[in-house]
Structures are given as C-alpha cells and as structure tokens.
Amino acid sequence: MFRRAFWFTTGAAAGVWATTKVQRKLRSLAPDALAVRAADKAVDTGHRLKEFALDVRAGMAQRESELNDALGLDAPPDGESAGLLPGRPPGHQLGPAQQPGRTRPYDRNEDH
C-alpha cells in the first residue's frame, strides 16, 4: 500500500510540474510576451550600437590626433576650416557652391 501511495504521489507531482512548465512556456509564447521581449531586445541592440558608435568616434579622434602629430599638422591654417579663402580678409567667405566637397549644379551656358 505504501508503494502505491508513493508512486501515486510521485506521478501527481510530476504531472503538476509538467503542467506548470507547459503553462509557463505558453505564457512566454503569447503575442503580448513576444512583443515585449522583441521591444526589449531592440532597445538593448540600440544601446549597444550607440556605445559602438561612440567607441568608433573616440578611436577616430585619437587616431586623427596621432596622425596629425606624426605629420606635424597640429592645427589647420587660420580660416581654412571655416570656409575662408586663404590670403583673403576674414570677412570674405566661400559661397555654398564653392565650399570644399560641394559640387556645382550643371550650368548649360558653360558649354557654349
């Protein structure tokens, strides 16, 4: 009789444990739980990408300063970084189309 009671209790405990485990898994796979988990992962990924970008920028700035020191380029000549023309007075700046790195729009009158 004690054997039967033992196995009955063991079976009931195993059934309760399995039922609880299945219910937890079903709750974790519900659409609301999946949406919350996906949002948390997206936020975490965004934080990691931001940290990575900040690390890259810091490394770029450090490497740029190392290269400037190695090449002897401690500071740019006065006014060139602000779009000023070299040899011109400080009030004379380049126009938007003449800024370094900017291209001019196509002008048909130049061809004739």
Side-chain angles (χ1 to χ4, degrees):
M1 177 143 163
F2 287 111
R3 276 182 146 181
R4 288 183 184 172
F6 170 76
W7 287 114
F8 177 76
T9 307
T10 305
V16 169
W17 177 79
T19 303
T20 305
K21 195 91 162 155
V22 167
Q23 289 297 324
R24 281 187 194 158
K25 191 64 171 176
L26 287 175
R27 271 189 247 124
S28 73
L29 294 176
D32 294 341
L34 290 176
V36 168
R37 198 172 341 146
D40 289 342
K41 294 269 187 186
V43 168
D44 186 41
T45 303
H47 289 305
R48 288 183 185 185
L49 285 174
K50 183 178 178 182
E51 289 174 11
F52 175 72
L54 291 174
D55 288 345
V56 168
R57 285 183 185 175
M60 285 174 29
Q62 179 183 359
R63 183 65 179 147
E64 183 179 7
S65 67
E66 290 173 2
L67 289 173
N68 285 339
D69 290 342
L71 296 175
L73 302 172
D74 293 333
D78 292 337
E80 283 190 22
S81 63
L84 301 176
L85 291 172
R88 298 286 175 117
H92 188 18
Q93 293 187 355
L94 295 172
Q98 298 169 334
Q99 292 286 339
R102 302 266 320 239
T103 59
R104 289 185 179 181
Y106 182 73
D107 187 6
R108 292 180 186 217
N109 292 332
E110 290 180 1
D111 293 341
H112 301 287

